[in-house]
Amino acid sequence: MPLQIVHHPDYDAGFAANHRFPMSKYPLLMEALRARGLAGPDALNTADPAPASWLKLAHAADYVDQVIGCSVPEKIEREIGFPVGPRVSLRAQLAAGGTVLAARLALRHGIACNTAGGSHHARRAQGAGFCTFNDVAVASLVLLTQGAAQNILVVDLDVHQGDGTADILGNEPRVFTFSMHGERNYPVRKIASDLDIALPDGTGDAAYLERLATILPELSAQLRWDIVFYNAGVDVHAEDRLGRLALSNDGLRARDKMVIGHFLAQGIPVCGVIGGGYSTDVPALAARHALLFEVASAYA
Ligand SMILES: [Zn+2]
């Protein structure tokens, strides 16, 4: 069976090409996956919008209602980085629903990936930093509520610290949040995860992978995890506009192999989400995001 991939054409909310958020990476990622033979009909699953009841497990009810009703206060929209109109609202509901679906597929097949998700700056009270709903927090709480998982590990390797995930899941003992990120990156005020590793500017492949290789066995020795959510943000790449770290494509590939291989070798399902990546060269950026799917497909 091919790698199960969750997608929806409306992950792309159709921003202008010069917007600070490179929205066109979503259709270009699908193009890259098709070109690699990874997006056949037996591989693709269509995301459904997450119902409000799921979103409210992770977010304040009034904020969820504001996003669904497209009535988010301007002050919060400024923190998110774009206005929450109908397309952004739908996209946020779909991305969260997509990560829930990818998690269920991972529980069934061992591994599955969403072609969106990793919106880790969205906190309980509101969105921030290009993140409207925190899909991984929503999916974790849906799995716990439905009894589909009891112990969940979040491995967040996006270059930015996972402050929103830490905020939402900080009081949830059944979820362990791990974030490895650039020390000097957004957010300025970090919210402590269960484990944070902050890396200095310019960290390259060797130092990065060495650090990760040390920490993964410590994480898996803690508990028998029922599922791992892996935020494979590619903004750790040397050519990322916001990243400050210096990984190469080979480094990204080795990182994804290390994480996925480590947990699958122990029979622990992995749900991959794409996380952040910022570049004006959007085809190159989409190819970086495609690495997760290339690596994951070797384990499917
Ligand atoms: Zn990021």
Side-chain angles (χ1 to χ4, degrees), residues 19 104 255 258 284:
H19 194 283
R104 288 191 175 131
R255 176 191 75 165
M258 196 183 276

Side-chain angles (χ1 to χ4, degrees), residues 131-156:
C131 301
T132 312
F133 290 136
N134 192 317
D135 56 290
V136 166
V138 168
S140 296
L141 293 168
V142 168
L143 293 187
L144 290 173
T145 302
Q146 297 182 342
Q150 278 75 46
N151 295 300
I152 297 175
L153 174 64
V154 177
V155 174
D156 184 343

Side-chain angles (χ1 to χ4, degrees), residues 118 120-121 158-161 186 231 233-236 240 242 275-278:
H120 60 169
H121 300 307
D158 185 283
V159 84
H160 302 98
Q161 197 253 352
Y186 176 97
N231 183 330
V234 297
D235 41 14
V236 292
D240 193 87
L242 304 180
Y278 306 90

Side-chain angles (χ1 to χ4, degrees), residues 6-25:
V6 178
H7 175 64
H8 197 289
D10 289 330
Y11 281 174
D12 172 16
F15 288 2
N18 61 352
H19 194 283
R20 287 186 307 138
F21 187 84
M23 192 59 86
S24 62
K25 76 181 187 180

Side-chain angles (χ1 to χ4, degrees), residues 66 211 239 299:
Q66 286 165 357
R211 203 69 200 270
E239 279 155 41
Y299 292 91

Side-chain angles (χ1 to χ4, degrees), residues 53-139:
S53 59
W54 291 1
L55 299 166
K56 289 176 182 177
L57 293 171
H59 295 287
D62 57 346
Y63 173 66
V64 171
D65 293 338
Q66 286 165 357
V67 173
I68 292 173
C70 300
S71 60
V72 175
E74 245 185 80
K75 182 182 168 291
I76 295 178
E77 290 184 324
R78 273 198 300 275
E79 273 191 67
I80 294 174
F82 36 71
V84 182
R87 290 194 69 175
V88 168
S89 173
L90 174 62
R91 166 194 148 66
Q93 297 169 58
L94 284 169
T99 296
V100 174
L101 177 56
R104 288 191 175 131
L105 290 165
L107 287 171
R108 197 175 313 147
H109 302 292
I111 184 156
C113 295
N114 191 3
T115 57
S119 299
H120 60 169
H121 300 307
R123 309 188 293 270
R124 185 165 285 277
Q126 66 168 89
F130 300 142
C131 301
T132 312
F133 290 136
N134 192 317
D135 56 290
V136 166
V138 168

